[in-house]
Amino acid sequence: SQQGEEDPQALSIQEGENATMNCSYKTSINNLQWYRQNSGRGLVHLILIRSNEREKHSGRLRVTLDTSKKSSSLLITASRAADTASYFCATFGANSKLTFGKGITLSVRP
Amino acid sequence: GAVVSQHPSWVICKSGTSVKIECRSLDFQATTMFWYRQFPKQSLMLMATSNEGSKATYEQGVEKDKFLINHASLTLSTLTVTSAHPEDSSFYICSSFSGLALHTQYFGPGTRLTVL
């Protein structure tokens, strides 16, 4: 069953702008992860944030986690055309499984 | 990072035939591998957890006799779609934990199955 729900479902921005994607989930988690999927390809792990962390950075990525609201956000700064992809949040819980959201389609216009 | 490969990358088969998809961990040993399926523009749905040397654990609603999983070695898991039908057409992706990065899964590139 799906746990994460991302919004928006689709996002189109101009190159150089920032992209913010949100994810909400329902049950308690051990950590939350964000993945990227280029069309017709496998998933690439972007960043992991633990339940006791509130914010994490990795290069142009910034992820936040609010466990009280059961939500997370992924910010991509200074977006590039190569960032065009689908982005998924996934929660890792006590069942030791990753549960994925529906995904967000990001289009970055050159 | 850890590398997971899948073969074939795409396959087209006739209805009623069986198709085998291989998932290999190239630079690490994978005691556990996961099989997902993904329909167009949708999320990944976990089908089963494959454990080396033991039976796979299937998610609710996934037919174990339809989707046969074999994890005979620490680097290879196979998914066989038996008596495939057009509704089995999907994108199948495997993944595994490498052990180096706790809780991070490394995904194969996926296999596109089209059943005519």
Side-chain angles (χ1 to χ4, degrees):
Chain A
S1 60
Q2 288 179 331
Q3 158 97 298
E5 293 284 339
E6 297 97 335
D7 84 272
Q9 291 188 337
L11 181 61
S12 181
I13 59 174
Q14 198 74 34
E15 200 166 29
E17 294 180 339
N18 296 341
T20 300
M21 292 168 269
N22 303 299
C23 168
S24 61
Y25 58 93
K26 297 176 182 176
T27 62
S28 62
I29 62 171
N30 180 296
N31 62 67
L32 184 143
Q33 305 176 33
W34 285 89
Y35 287 82
R36 184 186 74 222
Q37 183 181 35
N38 289 88
S39 181
R41 307 294 297 275
L43 275 72
V44 174
H45 179 262
L46 294 177
I47 196 166
L48 178 154
I49 186 166
R50 293 181 174 79
S51 59
N52 61 352
E53 297 176 314
R54 292 295 166 260
E55 186 172 314
K56 204 164 181 179
H57 296 81
S58 176
R60 294 186 294 116
L61 305 179
R62 172 178 169 260
V63 64
T64 63
L65 179 65
D66 187 334
T67 52
S68 66
K69 296 182 180 178
K70 290 186 168 59
S71 67
S72 172
S73 68
L74 174 67
L75 169 68
I76 303 175
T77 60
S79 63
R80 306 166 182 169
D83 295 328
T84 295
S86 293
Y87 291 81
F88 294 88
C89 72
T91 53
F92 187 89
N95 60 4
S96 297
K97 296 176 184 176
L98 273 181
T99 304
F100 287 84
K102 294 181 180 178
I104 299 170
T105 301
L106 173 65
S107 297
V108 182
R109 303 186 301 273
Chain B
V3 179
V4 177
S5 71
Q6 278 184 244
H7 177 81
S9 55
W10 59 270
V11 57
I12 301 173
C13 70
K14 293 182 179 180
S15 188
T17 60
S18 295
V19 174
K20 180 185 284 187
I21 302 170
E22 293 184 348
C23 176
R24 293 181 186 274
S25 57
L26 298 186
D27 52 358
F28 66 98
Q29 294 183 331
T31 55
T32 301
M33 288 183 170
F34 302 91
W35 286 96
Y36 297 84
R37 68 186 297 181
Q38 183 182 31
F39 292 107
K41 299 189 185 301
Q42 294 191 26
S43 184
L44 278 74
M45 301 300 293
L46 180 64
M47 299 175 65
T49 302
S50 167
N51 301 296
E52 187 268 335
S54 65
K55 291 182 179 180
T57 304
Y58 290 82
E59 295 300 302
Q60 190 173 11
V62 178
E63 301 175 58
K64 60 180 181 181
D65 295 329
K66 171 77 172 174
F67 299 99
L68 299 178
I69 291 173
N70 185 287
H71 195 152
S73 78
L74 287 172
T75 59
L76 174 65
S77 175
T78 60
L79 168 68
T80 300
V81 183
T82 62
S83 186
H85 289 94
E87 57 265 31
D88 297 324
S89 298
S90 188
F91 193 55
Y92 293 87
I93 310 175
C94 68
S95 72
S96 182
F97 295 113
S98 76
L100 296 176
L102 191 63
H103 300 159
T104 297
Q105 288 191 17
Y106 295 91
F107 286 81
T111 297
R112 172 75 58 193
L113 170 63
T114 302
V115 184
L116 302 177

